[in-house]
Amino acid sequence: MKRKFLALGIGIILGSGSLLMPMSSTAYAVTNKQLEEKKKDIQEKRSNVQSEISQKKDDLVQIGEEKSAVQKELDKLELTIADTENKIKEKEAQIASAKEEIKKLQQEIAVLKEQIKKRDELLKERIRSIQENGGVINYLDVLLGAQSFSDFINRVSAVTSFMEADRDLLRMHQEDKALLDKKEAEAQKQLEELNNKLADLEGMKKTLNGQQVKKNQLLEELKEQEKDMHEELLVFEDEAAILAAQEKAIKREIEAWNKRQRELEEQRKKQANAQGNKVGSAPEITNGVFMNPATGRLTSHYGQRWGRLHSGIDIGKGGRTEAVPIVAAASGSVIKANFDRSYGNVVMITHVIDGQVMTTVYGHMESLSVSNGASVEKGQLLGYMGNTGNSTGPHLHFEIHHGPWNGSRSNSVNPLRYVNY
């Protein structure tokens, strides 16, 4: 939608045939110098905008590279996090397996404990038996109490077995206790190691997740910056397109201005040739509502004179022998261009300025270069300074009226409010 409005705006600028002058009646309201200055100003603005566009494009490239780098880091983090999660799962499986092993070990430990308990009871019984027999078993008495040699051999064998059994019982008891302690220590150590590794991996995953969050935040910030820069770039591109259209329109205005000046010059030359006289310089076209209609010195002011209203100002020829051009003070339409007993050869022009109707009057001209009903532009030749009608010498009588001209000149205002002499 924004681009559609831009295209419409450019179309209006180019289609109007004038950037600075919305209506043909004001097409020459500025001087060629002003148009050239305006063109230069727009060219400078275009150059600045192009620099901004170039900078924004460079910034977009840089942000794109930063986004790419951050995305690569995120990809690496995702792989590392996935690997860590796999390791965590492996450790959790190992811990589960270790717990199963510990469970089995605990069952074995329970059996060992039962065996130790039984041995403890057996040992206690042996000790009680020893205490009941005087504190120490006298194996020699057992041997000497034999009834025969065969009984002696049997008794020796029995005593030896009893002694070895006692020693085996004590040794087994000690070994079972040591094995119990060892298995319990190993199981606890293995579980602690697995839990420590699991804690390390979970800590690593937490750190990696934190890094991932920060990288994602940075990526979103870069995306937002990229979006803003794209919008800014569109604004600058729109401005560049409008400035290009403005420059094109101003170039057309300059060409039209130069063409019209050549036409005016040709018109003056033809008029001068027709009169057989040299033509003086026309007044410079200036900015503002009205320009000076002729060159020369102010010889009479606006106001009361000889008991009646002098409804304009007089610009004298001042002894100049060449033809002095009279030009339109502003663009408008000629409502009168003929001879009048009072004004002599006179031209009256109606103007519409800022919605207000105004009228200018040019009297006592030597000859007329426009006709009734013609459209004239600011600075266009109307005729030459003369001494026709009720006049005492060659001069231009110039009037400005707020509204239409009337016989009583009641709408007249002092022209020096708009022109400088």
Side-chain angles (χ1 to χ4, degrees):
M1 183 63 70
K2 180 179 179 181
R3 288 289 173 141
K4 289 181 180 178
F5 284 127
L6 170 65
L8 177 62
I10 294 175
I12 291 172
I13 290 172
L14 295 177
S16 67
S18 173
L19 172 68
L20 302 176
M21 290 63 78
M23 298 185 296
S24 61
S25 64
T26 58
Y28 297 93
V30 296
T31 65
N32 188 43
K33 181 179 178 181
Q34 289 171 320
L35 288 172
E36 290 289 352
E37 289 176 351
K38 184 63 177 177
K39 183 179 76 171
K40 182 180 178 181
D41 179 57
I42 289 177
Q43 287 173 338
E44 290 177 355
K45 287 181 180 178
R46 282 191 67 191
S47 177
N48 293 335
V49 169
Q50 288 299 331
S51 297
E52 291 288 348
I53 290 173
S54 178
Q55 183 62 51
K56 290 299 175 187
K57 288 181 177 178
D58 290 343
D59 291 343
L60 282 171
V61 170
Q62 183 177 351
I63 285 182
E65 292 173 351
E66 291 180 9
K67 277 176 57 187
S68 178
V70 172
Q71 189 61 58
K72 287 180 180 178
E73 292 178 6
L74 278 170
D75 294 342
K76 289 180 181 178
L77 279 172
E78 287 178 1
L79 291 174
T80 305
I81 289 171
D83 182 61
T84 303
E85 287 176 345
N86 289 333
K87 289 180 179 178
I88 288 173
K89 289 178 181 177
E90 290 176 2
K91 294 302 174 188
E92 287 174 343
Q94 290 175 5
I95 289 172
S97 177
K99 286 181 178 179
E100 287 296 324
E101 291 295 328
I102 290 172
K103 186 176 180 182
K104 292 178 182 179
L105 183 59
Q106 286 174 342
Q107 292 173 354
E108 294 176 5
I109 290 170
V111 173
L112 284 172
K113 284 182 177 180
E114 186 63 26
Q115 292 175 353
I116 291 171
K117 181 179 178 181
K118 288 180 179 180
R119 290 193 192 102
D120 283 342
E121 291 298 325
L122 182 58
L123 288 171
K124 289 177 182 178
E125 185 65 26
R126 295 283 289 164
I127 291 169
R128 281 195 299 270
S129 176
I130 291 169
Q131 288 174 347
E132 289 173 358
N133 288 285
V136 177
I137 297 176
N138 192 336
Y139 290 108
L140 182 60
D141 290 340
V142 173
L143 294 175
L144 293 177
Q147 300 297 319
S148 64
F149 181 74
S150 176
D151 184 29
F152 177 78
I153 295 300
N154 289 334
R155 289 190 178 216
V156 169
S157 177
V159 168
T160 302
S161 297
F162 280 128
M163 291 178 67
E164 289 178 353
D166 286 344
R167 285 195 296 270
D168 289 343
L169 183 64
L170 288 171
R171 178 176 54 78
M172 289 176 64
H173 192 62
Q174 291 171 348
E175 288 177 354
D176 284 347
K177 279 192 172 184
L179 180 60
L180 176 63
D181 293 339
K182 181 180 179 182
K183 285 187 176 183
E184 284 184 333
E186 287 178 352
Q188 189 62 36
K189 182 180 179 182
Q190 182 184 13
L191 186 60
E192 287 178 359
E193 288 177 352
L194 288 171
N195 281 324
N196 289 336
K197 288 181 180 179
L198 180 62
D200 290 342
L201 288 170
E202 288 176 343
M204 183 186 297
K205 182 184 176 183
K206 184 177 180 181
T207 301
L208 291 171
N209 285 335
Q211 292 176 0
Q212 188 181 42
V213 169
K214 289 182 180 179
K215 293 296 180 183
N216 279 321
Q217 289 176 345
L218 177 59
L219 186 61
E220 289 303 315
E221 289 174 2
L222 289 171
K223 287 180 179 178
E224 192 65 27
Q225 289 179 20
E226 186 179 44
K227 179 183 176 182
D228 292 341
M229 285 189 180
H230 274 299
E231 292 178 356
E232 291 174 6
L233 182 60
L234 287 176
V235 171
F236 283 120
E237 287 176 345
D238 289 350
E239 186 177 353
I242 291 173
L243 288 171
Q246 289 178 337
E247 184 178 356
K248 184 177 180 180
I250 286 179
K251 286 180 179 178
R252 290 175 60 182
E253 289 298 327
I254 292 173
E255 291 172 359
W257 192 93
N258 290 331
K259 180 180 178 182
R260 185 56 188 159
Q261 292 306 304
R262 290 193 296 270
E263 292 174 352
L264 290 173
E265 187 61 29
E266 288 296 324
Q267 185 182 23
R268 289 166 185 161
K269 287 181 180 179
K270 288 179 181 179
Q271 187 70 27
N273 290 333
Q275 290 184 338
N277 296 322
K278 293 181 180 181
V279 178
S281 299
E284 180 183 358
I285 299 175
T286 56
N287 201 358
V289 177
F290 294 105
M291 63 173 285
N292 287 357
T295 61
R297 186 174 60 86
L298 183 66
T299 58
S300 184
H301 288 266
Y302 174 90
Q304 294 294 324
R305 188 175 66 178
W306 303 321
R308 57 185 298 180
L309 176 66
H310 184 241
S311 55
I313 59 174
D314 293 340
I315 298 96
K317 191 172 183 180
R320 288 175 285 180
T321 58
E322 68 273 15
V324 178
I326 307 298
V327 300
S331 301
S333 298
V334 177
I335 59 172
K336 183 175 182 178
N338 55 21
F339 181 81
D340 181 271
R341 284 185 302 172
S342 175
Y343 286 116
N345 288 324
V346 64
V347 172
M348 294 186 182
I349 302 174
T350 294
H351 316 271
V352 178
I353 299 174
D354 294 331
Q356 180 180 355
V357 175
M358 300 184 74
T359 307
T360 53
V361 178
Y362 311 80
H364 308 304
M365 289 194 287
E366 180 68 25
S367 60
L368 302 177
S369 299
V370 294
S371 58
N372 193 19
S375 294
V376 294
E377 296 160 352
K378 190 175 187 179
Q380 182 173 337
L381 181 68
L382 303 178
Y384 293 89
M385 192 178 290
N387 190 27
T388 58
N390 187 10
S391 172
T392 57
H395 72 284
L396 167 66
H397 176 78
F398 178 62
E399 298 177 5
I400 295 179
H401 297 257
H402 282 180
W405 181 91
N406 57 56
S408 64
R409 280 81 162 177
S410 60
N411 290 333
S412 65
V413 296
N414 189 349
L416 293 181
R417 290 170 56 182
Y418 298 97
V419 296
N420 296 312
Y421 282 98

